[in-house]
Amino acid sequence: MDFNYYIPTRILFGPGKLNELANEQLPGKKALVVISGGTSMKANGYLDRVVSLLNTQQVEAVVFDRILPNPIKQHVMEGAAIAREKGCDFVIGLGGGSSIDSAKSIAVMAKNPGDYWDYIGGGTGKGHPVEGGVLPIVAITTTAGTGTEADPWTVITHEERNEKIGFGTPETFPVLSVVDPELMLTVPPELTAYQGFDAFFHAAEGVIANIATPVSDIYALKSIELLNTSLPAAVANGQDLEARTNVALANTLSGFVESTSSCTSEHSLEHALSAYYPKLPHGAGLIMLSQAYFTFFADKAPERLTLMAQAMGKDVNSVEPERQPLLFIEALAELQKKCGVDNLKMSDYGISEEDIPKLAQNAFDTMGFLFTLDRYEMTLDDAISIIRKAYK
């Protein structure tokens, strides 16, 4: 039993918690507020509410509203330039994982020279150390998917090189995060499902990762249990605040998993898909891969899959031991059907079978580190086979 534990983020969790921003000690007096290029933050009044709450503390807000669903390096560099030009002393990510991830990356580049890819360790990144510090980060999440409010990780795509790579340092943990499920009531059913499954796979991969710990297992298995019971309800009725709160808690717990264990190669494979096909929602890509991926590991980490089957309510003692891990695959398929995401097809997003070897190679080239956290040393041929089986 050997692990380290470090999650320094102060988290305000629960319905109505956004209002407490008026009284929280903030890390500066001028914030760059990073939101998506869509309309939801403005149309739902979330941006105005945040700006108003900042004003009660005499904190000025500069809004940067260009972030894409799969965020890109160009916008990181643009946001960092604005933060420097306007003299912003901290960054707020308001919205989903793309906005909060971008805020983290902008916070890095606002204080460090050169190009963002200079600091990325995979693909064509140069892997330079971040020596100039990072602007303090505040995360206000309006979705339940990435857990980025509770971990240091940010995922950005180099749009010219088809490289989608995770990055983080201890300084990219948010100093403050607000998780208010009332802000999630407006997320449409399809996105609720995609985001919820992203959180699910953060937990599930954290369980099968070879660096899982007793602490990460506690977080991960509870997250899986909550999503299994509450995600279908949140998809069916977005106004169900109890279901939204349970899904939000599962998501934050999955962020804790990301800070105490890790994703595995499933995320590497999906990053390759959405690096080449940026209109593919990350959660949708994971859903497509998931049954083939976890079936591959059923005989390689059987006790781990059995734990997850139990968390999803399966009576593992009702079947012979060799079938116990397969009950997790069964429960996963049932959950996807309940959430209406059991018929997703890669071809719907323009992915062709001829692409598969290229995509698998990209996963190794850009996010190869996650393959080292698998409990079995996957080969390129294994990865190709998994994607082929997932392809529909």
Side-chain angles (χ1 to χ4, degrees):
M1 193 175 296
D2 181 4
F3 63 89
N4 300 329
Y5 184 93
Y6 178 70
I7 303 177
T9 304
R10 176 171 167 77
I11 297 175
L12 310 180
F13 183 96
K17 282 291 187 177
L18 180 63
N19 295 326
E20 295 187 12
L21 201 64
N23 303 311
E24 278 294 311
Q25 182 175 347
L26 297 173
K29 283 297 181 182
K30 192 170 189 178
L32 182 75
V33 182
V34 179
I35 64 173
S36 76
T39 61
S40 59
M41 291 306 102
K42 297 173 183 176
N44 293 318
Y46 301 155
L47 177 61
D48 286 345
R49 282 183 65 189
V50 167
V51 171
S52 177
L53 289 164
L54 294 175
N55 287 342
T56 64
Q57 296 211 52
Q58 288 76 53
V59 173
E60 188 179 344
V62 176
V63 177
F64 180 65
D65 61 357
R66 298 202 60 197
I67 304 306
L68 300 174
N70 276 307
I72 61 174
K73 181 179 76 72
Q74 176 188 335
H75 294 156
V76 168
M77 298 304 296
E78 289 177 7
I82 292 170
R84 289 193 299 270
E85 176 191 337
K86 300 292 186 180
C88 297
D89 51 8
F90 71 110
V91 183
I92 296 176
L94 170 63
S98 57
S99 296
I100 298 172
D101 281 13
S102 297
K104 293 177 180 180
S105 299
I106 288 168
V108 171
M109 293 314 300
K111 296 195 69 175
N112 288 276
D115 183 78
Y116 180 66
W117 233 242
D118 292 343
Y119 304 95
I120 298 300
T124 60
K126 297 180 180 177
H128 292 170
V130 176
E131 296 178 336
V134 177
L135 288 180
I137 300 150
V138 173
I140 304 172
T141 182
T142 63
T143 68
T146 66
T148 190
E149 71 273 10
D151 69 41
W153 309 113
T154 165
V155 177
I156 302 294
T157 297
H158 193 309
E159 63 276 20
E160 296 169 358
R161 300 177 186 170
N162 302 117
E163 295 180 345
K164 182 178 179 180
I165 301 180
F167 170 78
T169 76
E171 291 178 285
T172 50
F173 271 105
V175 297
L176 173 69
S177 290
V178 179
V179 185
D180 185 340
E182 290 181 354
L183 304 182
M184 303 171 189
L185 297 175
T186 55
V187 180
E190 186 178 62
L191 292 181
T192 298
Y194 295 163
Q195 293 157 5
F197 272 102
D198 187 14
F200 182 95
F201 294 121
H202 286 163
E205 292 173 46
V207 171
I208 67 169
N210 60 25
I211 58 168
T213 73
V215 172
S216 66
D217 281 350
I218 290 168
Y219 292 145
L221 294 171
K222 186 62 177 179
S223 176
I224 288 168
E225 175 193 328
L226 287 168
L227 288 165
N228 188 57
T229 57
S230 294
L231 183 58
V235 172
N237 176 13
Q239 294 298 306
D240 184 337
L241 185 58
E242 181 181 0
R244 288 288 192 187
T245 301
N246 285 337
V247 171
L249 176 57
N251 180 57
T252 298
L253 291 174
S254 288
F256 293 161
V257 176
E258 289 295 279
S259 299
T260 54
S261 180
S262 178
C263 287
T264 59
S265 57
E266 184 189 21
H267 262 69
S268 303
L269 298 176
E270 197 297 316
H271 283 186
L273 300 184
S274 48
Y276 278 95
Y277 300 93
K279 291 185 179 179
L280 171 64
H282 175 54
L286 291 169
I287 291 166
M288 293 174 196
L289 291 165
S290 61
Q291 291 184 45
Y293 181 84
F294 283 97
T295 299
F296 177 82
F297 279 99
D299 62 350
K300 300 170 180 65
E303 72 293 341
R304 300 267 93 193
L305 270 70
T306 300
L307 280 176
M308 294 191 287
Q310 289 177 298
M312 297 181 79
K314 291 293 184 180
D315 181 5
V316 299
N317 295 318
S318 66
V319 300
E320 55 274 18
E322 61 269 23
R323 276 203 41 80
Q324 290 176 352
L326 295 177
L327 291 181
F328 172 69
I329 312 300
E330 183 180 297
L332 176 58
E334 290 168 358
L335 181 59
Q336 290 173 357
K337 187 171 184 178
K338 288 177 185 175
C339 294
V341 294
D342 53 321
N343 290 314
L344 298 178
K345 295 179 175 61
M346 292 187 193
S347 57
D348 291 342
Y349 295 92
I351 302 170
S352 70
E353 284 198 79
E354 291 71 30
D355 293 334
I356 290 175
K358 173 182 72 174
L359 296 170
Q361 185 65 58
N362 178 279
F364 278 90
D365 291 344
T366 61
M367 293 283 288
F369 174 69
L370 293 186
F371 287 89
T372 70
L373 301 180
D374 289 337
R375 289 175 186 258
Y376 172 85
E377 188 174 346
M378 189 184 295
T379 67
L380 179 60
D381 284 343
D382 291 331
I384 291 170
S385 176
I386 288 169
I387 303 174
R388 284 200 194 284
K389 287 176 181 174
Y391 190 87
K392 296 178 183 178

